[in-house]
Amino acid sequence: MTENPSDPDSPRTLQTVTRTLDVIKALKELNGATVTELASHLDLSKGGAYNHLTTLRQNGFVIKNGDEYDLSPCFILIGEHVRQENLLYRFGKKEIDKLIEETGEYAQLVTEKHGLGIVLYLKRGEKAIGSDYPDQMERKPLGLHHTAAGKSILAHLPDERVEEIVDQHGLRKRTANTITDIDELFEEREAVRERGYAYNIEEEVEGLRAVGADIKGPDGNILGAVSLSGPKSRMQGERFEEELPEMVMNAADVIEVNINMHAQSTQF
């Protein structure tokens, strides 16, 4: 049986480290907290919560403002380092920018981690609606089943892996159009593979549509996906069915080729 690295009962898991990571996640979720608030949120003693916070503060990962503790800006540096070292981001950013210039809509680059979608890069074009949409997308993981990028990724994962993801995260209903049945999801995956791209037809946000295409690595494994989003008034007809899918697939292809060429060059 494969060991699950996220299992808190794994024999290789250090409970103190796990609890400290819980503290970090809680500070993010609560947008800062006092010792009492954190202890209550995590069902910790006040002394235990204080000890974790003090350790993190002494190591520069937490700052204190009055009675409240917040995550330190050092996480920005860590996060940016991780993003810059990601090949999908390094070779995909330019193509996302190009899509934005050509369409004026939203374009994003997404990868999958622990069964959820992580936005590596999202940019808003001059015609795009919803000024707070980028912040919402980049600050939290996404369900894969209701986004075009996510469905592009799911289409190329093994069936067993998709079943694991559904078991872990479910198929949360976001709108009346969201896929909430696993059999329907598997049918959708087959359709995505056949046409080469995925649709999000108001499955995440009412009135918002998207087209997505997958990006594979040198060994054929799925690295992520690129997608283009916009209001249904501009995402319909020939533009939605032909023009935009071709643009998205071309962008995904360029990113994929550049990553694979880079991988080949590093072998010599």
Side-chain angles (χ1 to χ4, degrees):
M1 185 176 75
T2 303
E3 182 181 2
N4 182 355
S6 63
D7 182 2
D9 296 322
S10 169
R12 296 184 180 180
T13 298
L14 297 176
Q15 292 299 316
T16 303
V17 176
T18 299
R19 182 56 78 181
T20 299
L21 293 174
D22 288 340
V23 169
I24 292 172
K25 294 174 185 176
L27 289 176
K28 176 180 178 293
E29 292 170 6
L30 299 172
N31 196 27
T34 64
V35 172
T36 301
E37 290 169 342
L38 184 67
S40 175
H41 184 78
L42 294 177
D43 194 22
L44 278 172
S45 67
K46 290 184 180 180
Y50 177 79
N51 289 340
H52 284 286
L53 289 169
T54 300
T55 301
L56 286 166
R57 186 184 178 196
Q58 289 177 347
N59 286 275
F61 291 99
V62 162
I63 57 176
K64 185 179 181 184
N65 296 309
D67 293 331
E68 186 170 281
Y69 293 82
D70 295 288
L71 296 179
S72 161
C74 75
F75 282 100
I76 297 174
L77 301 177
I78 295 171
E80 189 60 28
H81 169 77
V82 173
R83 184 163 68 167
Q84 293 292 339
E85 290 299 309
N86 186 286
L87 291 180
L88 190 58
Y89 173 80
R90 285 167 56 187
F91 291 102
K93 182 178 181 296
K94 181 179 178 180
E95 296 307 314
I96 293 294
D97 290 342
K98 189 179 298 184
L99 276 177
I100 292 303
E101 291 175 5
E102 294 173 346
T103 67
E105 306 290 359
Y106 280 109
Q108 60 183 333
L109 201 59
V110 178
T111 191
E112 178 267 325
K113 288 291 179 267
H114 306 301
L116 294 170
I118 304 297
V119 177
L120 292 173
Y121 183 58
L122 184 150
K123 190 166 183 180
R124 182 177 188 269
E126 59 181 14
K127 297 179 183 177
I129 60 175
S131 59
D132 60 344
Y133 185 66
D135 286 339
Q136 295 175 13
M137 295 289 285
E138 291 183 313
R139 289 188 179 187
K140 59 184 180 181
L142 309 172
L144 296 174
H145 66 290
H146 56 69
T147 64
K151 288 197 284 185
S152 296
I153 293 171
L154 288 175
H156 298 281
L157 290 176
D159 291 352
E160 296 80 6
R161 176 58 182 146
V162 175
E163 290 172 352
E164 289 175 356
I165 291 173
V166 173
D167 286 343
Q168 182 178 4
H169 299 291
L171 296 172
R172 180 187 173 194
K173 185 175 183 178
R174 297 292 299 268
T175 73
N177 294 332
T178 305
I179 294 174
T180 57
D181 179 77
I182 190 168
D183 291 332
E184 186 180 349
L185 179 63
F186 270 70
E187 291 175 4
E188 179 79 353
R189 291 172 66 234
E190 184 176 350
V192 171
R193 288 193 294 268
E194 288 179 355
R195 63 176 174 251
Y197 55 91
Y199 280 128
N200 163 10
I201 304 180
E202 301 178 63
E203 298 167 54
E204 180 190 11
V205 178
E206 291 184 8
L208 190 71
R209 295 182 173 184
V211 182
D214 66 285
I215 301 166
K216 295 186 179 71
D219 55 1
N221 63 311
I222 185 78
L223 298 179
V226 57
S227 70
L228 192 65
S229 308
K232 65 179 180 179
S233 59
R234 294 198 295 264
M235 305 287 274
Q236 57 182 309
E238 183 177 343
R239 185 172 190 254
F240 189 49
E241 296 169 6
E242 297 181 21
E243 181 183 340
L244 296 181
E246 183 176 351
M247 294 172 66
V248 170
M249 287 191 293
N250 286 341
D253 185 57
V254 170
I255 297 169
E256 189 172 294
V257 169
N258 284 333
I259 289 175
N260 292 343
M261 289 179 65
H262 170 79
Q264 280 192 335
S265 68
T266 59
Q267 294 177 358
F268 297 101

